[in-house]
Amino acid sequence: MNFLFDFVRQFSNELANLAERIEDNLFNEPHASLIQARLYSEHLVKLISKEEELEELYAPKHAERIHKLYRQNAIEEDIYLKLEWIRKKGNKAVHDVKEVETADVLQTHKFLFEISVWYMQLYVTYEFKAPAYKLPIASETNNDQDKTLKLYLDQKIDDMRLEIQKQFDDMRLEKEEVKNVAKLKLSATNEAMLSPMNAHLQFKNEQIFIPSELADMPITTLPVNGCKYLLSEFSRVGITSLNKINEPMDELHMKLNGIGTQGMEKFWEQINSIESVVRMNMSETHHTEVKIITISEKVDKIFDKHKFKLNHPTKKAIEFEHRITKEIVYLLPNKLTTIVLHPDTAKEKFEIPDKPSHNTALRSFPKAINKGKTPTNFGYSFKFQSEEALDDFLYKLTNA
């Protein structure tokens, strides 16, 4: 028989085994369960930090990681509170010999489940359907225990909010300051990214955005020195301008005769030195919150064909906005091309799936309760086996 946290094995056998031990000892060894729950949350926070590319050379403390994730908008206030709850209860269990309250143990177990579901849906697969949560006690007492636990928890959470309100206020101010600085740093980058006429190139761990005037220039007339042979090789293989380059340039040199990585690097640096080119180091994008999903040129052109502009790219989704109707759609980083529509649009124009897709990355969509207590953004997702199917879908969306 599968236990409640079996789905965790899809991203960590170690955490699934730890969750099973916690559940087995929930009533017999409540102190140990709280300590192990803190350990579980600590390792899960490390996974989140790595996914968000926020890990540092010198590993921070558990509390510092949680705070940083919240400040960087990687976790919401609800998840932050649950992680802090587990951390504080686990720390108290380590240092306090007093008997642990049963409600604390049960609530910690429930929070571990909800945070694990949140991680699964956000970082593993958006299509994950969480099992119904059940208290690890005899089923006939579940209803009474649930009511008692809810009354107890509501008071405890309110107390905790008051306790860390000052901390929240300070972090909100810091987040606003970081956001304002990031806006200034990204003004040029956003302008380059939002224009559908611009091109982008990639070389190793760097990416640049090139204005259309430069991208459309005949390749042999580019303002670069000492690259005459390279430019002639570009022309030979059909690359007549920079916007014809459709693959990373550190791979492209393999198609050119007599061009090695050093020659390509020399060309790359000269293109980078042109004033109108916007340069981004992809390994450092977390400092400016520019985490983007890589999409193919074909998909990009299909959106442009149907008058959608790239509006807000992140690591978890790309937001497109229609230039005329202002309709918002999201592209998710799934194996199959996946588009998420606003629930009203989906119901009006298409036959909708049985269940909506809940995802915090759908920031312009309405919120609703999914499995937990906190409302999350939702829409309806549609998957496509080919670019042609996506093209047809966007045509129906914009012409229906």
Side-chain angles (χ1 to χ4, degrees), residues 151-400:
L151 292 173
Y152 170 87
L153 173 65
D154 289 344
Q155 182 60 48
K156 287 285 188 178
I157 287 294
D158 288 342
D159 291 345
M160 186 175 177
R161 284 185 188 276
L162 289 174
E163 177 187 336
I164 64 175
Q165 192 60 52
K166 177 68 166 59
Q167 189 180 56
F168 265 134
D169 291 341
D170 289 344
M171 284 194 289
R172 287 192 187 106
L173 285 174
E174 183 180 344
K175 285 167 72 174
E176 283 302 313
E177 291 174 2
V178 170
K179 188 176 180 180
N180 290 335
V181 171
K183 283 182 179 177
L184 293 174
K185 289 182 178 180
L186 290 176
S187 59
T189 300
N190 284 338
E191 184 179 352
M193 291 169 64
L194 292 177
S195 173
M197 301 304 293
N198 295 345
H200 69 271
L201 300 179
Q202 184 178 327
F203 183 74
K204 296 183 179 178
N205 66 334
E206 295 176 351
Q207 186 171 1
I208 57 176
F209 292 91
I210 303 170
S212 56
E213 295 81 4
L214 182 62
D216 292 335
M217 285 181 64
I219 198 79
T220 54
T221 64
L222 289 173
V224 294
N225 298 317
C227 299
K228 186 176 180 180
Y229 179 72
L230 172 60
L231 299 180
S232 67
E233 277 296 295
F234 277 148
S235 297
R236 184 184 63 80
V237 296
I239 298 175
T240 55
S241 61
L242 291 177
N243 60 21
K244 297 294 185 182
I245 299 177
N246 302 321
E247 57 189 294
M249 296 187 67
D250 45 327
E251 298 175 7
L252 177 60
H253 80 91
M254 301 294 291
K255 297 180 180 179
L256 308 177
N257 296 330
I259 301 296
T261 54
Q262 288 184 338
M264 194 66 80
E265 189 166 355
K266 178 182 177 181
F267 173 75
W268 177 261
E269 290 301 326
Q270 290 201 55
I271 293 295
N272 268 266
S273 67
I274 299 173
E275 186 177 354
S276 58
V277 170
V278 177
R279 180 173 183 171
M280 290 198 313
N281 187 318
M282 294 166 67
S283 65
E284 296 175 354
T285 53
H286 59 272
H287 295 305
T288 56
E289 297 180 351
V290 184
K291 299 177 181 179
I292 60 174
I293 302 167
T294 301
I295 60 175
S296 70
E297 184 185 17
K298 285 185 178 180
V299 170
D300 190 37
K301 286 185 175 180
I302 290 171
F303 276 98
D304 184 42
K305 170 185 174 182
H306 295 285
K307 297 183 173 59
F308 282 95
K309 69 175 182 178
L310 189 153
N311 200 34
H312 184 72
T314 70
K315 182 180 179 181
K316 302 166 188 173
I318 293 182
E319 180 181 292
F320 286 92
E321 181 181 13
H322 196 271
R323 296 188 188 90
I324 299 173
T325 65
K326 304 305 179 183
E327 179 78 44
I328 297 291
V329 302
Y330 288 92
L331 175 67
L332 300 184
N334 294 353
K335 289 182 179 179
L336 288 180
T337 301
T338 304
I339 301 299
V340 185
L341 300 184
H342 188 287
D344 293 343
T345 301
K347 291 175 183 177
E348 178 186 349
K349 298 187 175 183
F350 298 96
E351 182 177 344
I352 61 172
D354 292 337
K355 294 183 179 180
S357 297
H358 286 260
N359 186 342
T360 55
L362 310 177
R363 65 191 191 112
S364 296
F365 287 179
K367 292 185 177 183
I369 297 292
N370 185 19
K371 294 290 184 180
K373 295 182 178 180
T374 305
T376 55
N377 305 91
F378 76 100
Y380 287 93
S381 62
F382 300 83
K383 295 184 177 181
F384 310 98
Q385 298 281 350
S386 65
E387 284 88 358
E388 290 75 16
L390 171 64
D391 191 8
D392 290 342
F393 180 83
L394 291 181
Y395 176 81
K396 292 176 184 176
L397 174 65
T398 54
N399 291 277

Side-chain angles (χ1 to χ4, degrees), residues 10 18 23 133 142 160 186 256 260 352-353 379:
Q10 295 184 50
L18 180 57
E23 194 163 293
Y133 177 78
N142 270 357
M160 186 175 177
L186 290 176
L256 308 177
I352 61 172

Side-chain angles (χ1 to χ4, degrees), residues 128-143:
F128 173 66
K129 301 296 187 295
Y133 177 78
K134 293 182 180 179
L135 287 169
I137 49 181
S139 58
E140 61 269 15
T141 64
N142 270 357
N143 290 336

